[in-house]
Amino acid sequence: MEGYKFPEGFLWGGATAANQCEGGYNLDGRGLSSVDVVPFGPERMNVARGVRKMLSCEEEFEYPAHEAIDMYHHYKEDIKLFAEMGFKCYRLSIAWTRILPNGDDEIPNEVGLKFYEDLFKECKKYGIEPLVTIDHFDTPIALIKKYGGWKSREMIDAYLKYCKAIFTRYKDLVKYWITFNEINMLLHMPFMGAGIVFEKGENRDNILYNAAHHELLASAKAVKLAHEIMPDSMVGCMLAAGQFYPYTCNPDDIWDGLEKDRDNYFFIDAQARGSYPVWAWKRMEALGIDLDWQDGDDEILKSGTVDYVAFSYYASRCTTADPEVFEKHKRSGNAVFRAVENPYLKCSEWGWQIDPLGLRVTLNTLYDRYQKPLFIVENGLGANDVLEEDGSIHDPYRIDYLRQHIEAMRDAVNKDGIPLLGYTAWGCIDLVSASTGEMKKRYGMIYVDKDNEGNGTLNRYKKDSFFWYKKVIATNGEDLQ
């Protein structure tokens, strides 16, 4: 559309997570992490939510992420493909236990440090800016056994030890950082988000709010440390975003939507503004939360506010205060968020509702709330792609999804004036799905020959969306056809 463009230097790219693509979970001194023990299959969500205790890999379960797409050995090939697409930015995460196998080791693992150094240099070779997530659903098992994960304030020092190791090593290679991936997921998947397992008789709310407090203090301290070691760095926070629409105009539904949005904004309010909102204090008071608040915590939060707000967006959500309506219309897709079907939206193959305008709504809501630059670091469509005999993969459904969302993003930038740093499409290369733990649910623009059972050559193939996204980047978002 003529006159509709993105700013010069806009960071187009793609996003992955170490635990979903690297593989090599037990190679070269890497320690065991929380994400390594969350299995594929019907018990996945029970483990992810901290309901079922699993602190090791059990023989009767499958763990596709242990090998994933073996990017640990294929990263040069993959980054070359990203460069061919024209990436300006590649969002990835560092595996905490590849650097500190026990989470708080005095001496970092040199093999792990060297791996990411080489990876970042490979990005720089092609002019690709790394965007690094420090903790992407990644709590060292040794620290879960030692402290109970983020239940304990001791985790803050361990996290900062990890941060110091990577900031010092990569200060000349990485400018953009994110402290915690989708930090609000702590409330929805406590084990995956914070290494929390609930023991019998424990007060769940008290544990969750204290774990949140500890992660928020760690994030603030990390921001301050990053600015000391890397004065030109930009450090952001990140949430799993998407507005909760009320199912009806009944005021009870309106209020229910507002309350559910607050569950997600609670974290970012503290990270972007430097203090808890007044309603959060009232909520904790009503729940009888005994918060591990110590002298100086207010100053820690104030002195460590983030430079930008990053977020993932896949879909909006819909909610109702009426339990009967909820049961009748509850959504089948994305078991993480309790929501009802929005009758005005279509669904993906996995039951996720597709709402491009919701992305524009989310961008405006976040900027109105925080007045900080925004960064869309996850957005994409999971689908069951088919590899044809000639090596082609036709995914017009993914191109349609991405086109509509980029159009909404373009409207937010051009019509609404939203300051947007960049856009990294999720799963730019096929990887193991975080929600289902399988390969079959593919997000990538690059197909990887690997199935749910672990069979395949690991060969990479370009999907139709690969060539489409290459054109989008080359025209800075002007040509979306």
Side-chain angles (χ1 to χ4, degrees), residues 15 65 83 115 128 246 274 281 300 308 340 369 385 392 397 425 432:
F115 168 71
I128 298 172
W281 286 112
I300 291 170
Y308 64 95
V340 294
R369 192 175 186 102
D385 300 327
S392 62
Y397 39 84
V432 175

Side-chain angles (χ1 to χ4, degrees), residues 303-354:
S303 63
T305 55
V306 294
D307 302 309
Y308 64 95
V309 175
F311 66 94
S312 61
Y313 178 87
Y314 296 95
S316 57
R317 301 143 196 161
C318 196
T319 188
T320 177
D322 187 326
E324 289 185 14
V325 174
F326 182 87
E327 281 304 311
K328 186 177 179 181
H329 299 288
K330 64 183 176 184
R331 200 169 79 186
S332 57
N334 192 357
V336 175
F337 291 100
R338 284 173 51 83
V340 294
E341 295 283 352
N342 185 328
Y344 298 98
L345 300 176
K346 294 179 181 178
C347 287
S348 75
E349 200 174 342
W350 265 264
W352 292 40
Q353 296 204 282
I354 298 172

Side-chain angles (χ1 to χ4, degrees), residues 465-481:
S465 55
F466 179 102
F467 303 100
W468 176 83
Y469 196 47
K470 180 178 180 178
K471 179 179 64 175
V472 171
I473 297 174
T475 63
N476 198 22
E478 288 193 66
D479 186 354
L480 300 179
Q481 298 312 305

Side-chain angles (χ1 to χ4, degrees), residues 253-273:
D253 283 359
I254 305 289
W255 182 255
D256 194 63
L258 184 148
E259 283 282 77
K260 284 189 168 66
D261 278 335
R262 280 176 165 177
D263 283 342
N264 297 320
Y265 295 142
F266 161 75
F267 298 89
I268 312 303
D269 281 0
Q271 290 173 298
R273 295 170 169 170

Side-chain angles (χ1 to χ4, degrees), residues 392-458:
S392 62
I393 303 97
H394 306 301
D395 56 344
Y397 39 84
R398 180 169 294 108
I399 292 172
D400 286 345
Y401 177 96
L402 294 172
R403 178 190 294 117
Q404 292 175 55
H405 285 77
I406 292 172
E407 284 173 346
M409 179 173 83
R410 194 166 64 178
D411 284 342
V413 170
N414 286 277
K415 295 181 179 179
D416 309 327
I418 301 298
L420 189 60
L421 297 173
Y423 173 85
T424 56
W426 176 250
C428 45
I429 184 168
D430 289 346
L431 37 64
V432 175
S433 166
S435 59
T436 65
E438 61 185 337
M439 278 298 302
K440 184 179 178 182
K441 185 183 182 187
R442 299 174 182 274
Y443 283 88
M445 300 160 201
I446 300 164
Y447 185 96
V448 180
D449 183 24
K450 180 87 180 289
D451 64 18
N452 279 2
E453 287 69 46
N455 304 311
T457 62
L458 289 175

Side-chain angles (χ1 to χ4, degrees), residues 35 103 215:
V35 282
E215 284 199 358

